[in-house]
Amino acid sequence: ANILSAEGDNLKYAHQLLQEYFAAKIMLEAMEADEKAGSHARAMELFGKDWWDAGVWRETTVILGEFLGEGAVGPNRVTRWLAPVTPEVALEVITRNAGGLSVADVEAETQTALVNGAQAKAEYNFSSHTWRELNPDPRGRASAWRVLGKLREDNRPGVLDFNWDQDYWCLVPKGEYVYQGKLDKIDYDFWIARYPITYAQFQLFIDAPDGYRNPDWWQGLHEEGIEQQQKGAREQHFKFWNHPRENVSWYEARAFCRWVDALTLTRPASGVYPLPTSALGKGVKYHIRLPLETEWEKAASWDAKAKKARVYPWGDTFDPTKANMWEGERIGQTTTVGIYPQGASPCGALDMSGNVWEWCLNEYEIGQATIDSDETRVLRGGSWRINLIDDFRCDSRNRNYPANWDYDGGVRLVFS
């Protein structure tokens, strides 16, 4: 009946869906055995040490959810079973369901199981200092954090909204530092954001009635920027709420900073948008804006205690395990902000190398922080898809035209 075909001494299913169907029956037996025993032992056997990669079971898990049916009931049951073992694969049982289910169809009990599973795999607060031993492969850690992003369950201050706390702003004290290999000086304190701006944060700007569509934030920009505002923002490429916002031009980044700066001036008395208290009340006007590349390089490299500039944010030796980059265990996309704590810069800022390139305020050639020109602007920090080691150095410079964008370029704020 053409169900089986011969390849030498081997037999195989002629239609893969038949194979997946019978595999789903086997997986159902494993799930029922685990449910009866109150464990997840059979699930652990199926997915093994590379739990974040569904491998040959990728389609089978989804088919099992569809096989059990009853709308979202069957898929939720399978998801709860897999959540402690492989949370991202478990969530896909729902989001890849042929019936068009989405995150909105995740039941409360299932959500709890997914969050618990993902937080355990992600070592959520990096508080036990054992996360590297528990989950040494960055692909697994990135997978778990993607689940928290999809579910909007990443509650770290300054990730999904602007309810950042004092620790969000990393102090870079005034004084000497090394810029492009030469001793230099910045004669004012400033604070740089711990993380790049996320997809969730930038979406607030797009959705706000007085946000992206408000021409006030675009005043004075080159006509290219005004044209971009009229056309509207491009879609995020990697749609996880806790990942860096990419596909953003310099003009959009500049308008976004103006909007956020205005938010801080009108913040409620409860302090929803707390700013560094040590900066306030000094009689100096501080602004939230893009960093000058001098500020960016000092924040990324200058170790004030050792009075030396680091080659990379974490030290002088290249190490692909300390940032999201093309070297090492390739993740192949952006990662959740701040999940490489071992790659912190001297001031405590995270992701200063890798993940996404970051726009700076000034022009590349002359260094001036002009607003109305269309000259190339500085990009710093390297990205997830770069394979040139030198691009991850703190003193490495890159540039692009302010109207351009890409899915490996993003935004970081300074308070200066």
Side-chain angles (χ1 to χ4, degrees), residues 64-285:
L64 177 57
E66 295 168 348
F67 178 75
L68 294 175
E70 297 185 73
V73 174
N76 270 273
R77 178 185 170 192
V78 178
T79 297
R80 287 194 294 273
W81 171 52
L82 295 175
V85 176
T86 175
E88 188 172 35
V89 175
L91 180 57
E92 287 187 349
V93 174
I94 294 174
T95 59
R96 294 184 60 234
N97 183 278
L101 302 181
S102 69
V103 171
D105 295 292
V106 175
E107 297 171 355
E109 183 183 356
T110 308
Q111 176 106 352
T112 299
L114 283 167
V115 171
N116 289 341
Q119 287 187 344
K121 298 291 187 182
E123 185 66 5
Y124 183 63
N125 291 318
F126 301 112
S127 56
S128 68
H129 304 291
T130 60
W131 61 271
R132 198 167 184 177
E133 288 73 29
L134 290 173
N135 193 10
D137 196 306
R139 294 171 296 181
R141 191 165 72 252
S143 171
W145 282 97
R146 285 195 294 268
V147 173
L148 297 174
K150 277 283 189 184
L151 298 175
R152 288 183 176 267
E153 290 283 357
D154 188 340
N155 297 318
R156 292 174 297 163
V159 173
L160 299 184
D161 52 33
F162 304 109
N163 294 335
W164 46 53
D165 60 9
Q166 291 288 328
D167 290 338
Y168 179 82
W169 297 102
C170 302
L171 173 64
V172 184
K174 63 184 178 181
E176 65 180 13
Y177 76 113
V178 171
Y179 176 69
Q180 297 295 292
K182 297 179 180 179
L183 193 65
D184 206 334
K185 185 178 183 181
I186 293 178
D187 60 1
Y188 54 87
D189 293 340
F190 67 93
W191 291 257
I192 195 162
R194 189 169 299 277
Y195 315 119
I197 288 297
T198 62
Y199 174 35
Q201 290 172 314
F202 199 85
Q203 194 63 36
L204 291 172
F205 172 55
I206 292 174
D207 293 341
D210 68 337
Y212 193 98
R213 296 181 294 277
N214 185 347
D216 289 350
W217 316 125
W218 306 78
Q219 283 185 8
L221 297 179
H222 189 271
E223 61 185 18
E224 283 184 343
I226 308 303
E227 290 172 4
Q228 281 197 339
Q229 188 251 351
Q230 293 169 350
K231 291 177 181 178
R234 284 149 300 283
E235 287 194 15
Q236 173 88 350
H237 189 81
F238 299 111
K239 295 184 177 179
F240 304 94
W241 295 113
N242 56 3
H243 281 218
R245 211 319 174 161
E246 13 84 357
N247 278 346
V248 54
S249 73
W250 182 89
Y251 295 125
E252 291 170 315
R254 184 78 170 82
F256 171 78
C257 289
R258 285 175 167 176
W259 177 73
V260 175
D261 189 48
L263 279 181
T264 65
L265 296 175
T266 59
R267 65 189 186 278
S270 60
V272 174
Y273 312 110
L275 296 171
T277 53
S278 55
L280 304 178
K282 285 187 173 182
V284 177
K285 186 161 183 147

Side-chain angles (χ1 to χ4, degrees), residues 138-139 141-143 145-146 156 196-198 236 238 240-246 323-325 329-340 351 353-356 384:
R139 294 171 296 181
R141 191 165 72 252
S143 171
W145 282 97
R146 285 195 294 268
R156 292 174 297 163
I197 288 297
T198 62
Q236 173 88 350
F238 299 111
F240 304 94
W241 295 113
N242 56 3
H243 281 218
R245 211 319 174 161
E246 13 84 357
N324 178 18
M325 59 181 71
E329 298 291 352
R330 297 176 185 173
I331 294 172
Q333 64 177 80
T334 59
T335 49
T336 298
V337 299
I339 66 170
Y340 289 84
D351 296 352
S353 278
N355 219 358
V356 288
W384 62 268

